[in-house]
Amino acid sequence: MPTTAVVTGAGRGIGLAFARRLAEEGHRVILTDVDGMAAELAAANIGGGAVGMQQDVRDISSHRRIAEEATALGQLSVWVNNAGVLYAGEAWEHSDEEIATILDVNVRGVMAGSAAAVSQMRRTGGGVILNVASLSALAPVPGLALYAATKAAVLSYTTSLEGDLRHAGLPIRVRALCPDVVNTQMVTSHVNDPGAAMLFAGPRPLDEAAVVRAGMALMSSRQIFRVLPRWRGVLSRAGDLAPSVGLGLIGVMRKVGNRRQART
């Protein structure tokens, strides 16, 4: 029986890169995106029987529908929860709509997708779920408080879900990838946004290919989550030992980001 893989938010960026790699490895891929046309065009470009479908990940029932579609095409073996949104600015200035949207997409979407994947995989021999989190899950990120909080929730959910799966004896793995800033449209669209200075304060942004390589390796490893690059995770964790010092250094980084934005 052919294997199938689902990637959310796959109309472009990291999601599309994951979908292409999974197709190259022999999976029949379902690409979903809130922009249905983008998902269909991406699937057509990938070929190999890839299918593009419109999906708003905020709709919990939509994940069950996608999981059923994937199972109808083959054995659902991979599910990548990639869809996400980012809002920048002071934490107290976000609109009601922004707060609701980022929580619904970044957190509820991941939880609903994971639950739908587990429900199908447990019946068909198991599989692996990859949740795309962020380095921001590990440390304070002024200007991106909402985004960081949602990614911390994704990381916590992933590690806890892995514990539940092990306790139940199910042959399903769940992993969280926590990359630093990636050079995608979601990031570059904030180049003139003062609240997003931290996105431009660190080293050169990662490219999509590096993120996909790390994600694919993580899915087949025993490690539950991975930070990319690894040294950034060490620095983020070190800040926990002296939070006041860490916040001071982050303040310096934010100024660096502001200067880089101004030059851009």
Side-chain angles (χ1 to χ4, degrees), residues 23 27 47 64 96 127 143-145 170 191 208 219 223 229 240 255-256 258:
H27 299 285
R64 293 191 292 270
D96 294 351
L144 299 174
L170 295 175
V191 69
E208 294 163 2
M219 282 193 282
Q223 190 175 4
D240 293 342
K255 291 178 181 178
V256 171
N258 284 328

Side-chain angles (χ1 to χ4, degrees), residues 7-17 19 30-33 38-39 42-43 46 82-83:
V7 185
T8 68
R12 58 187 62 80
I14 297 172
L16 175 54
I30 293 182
L31 299 82
T32 82
D33 201 283
I46 289 174
N82 166 75

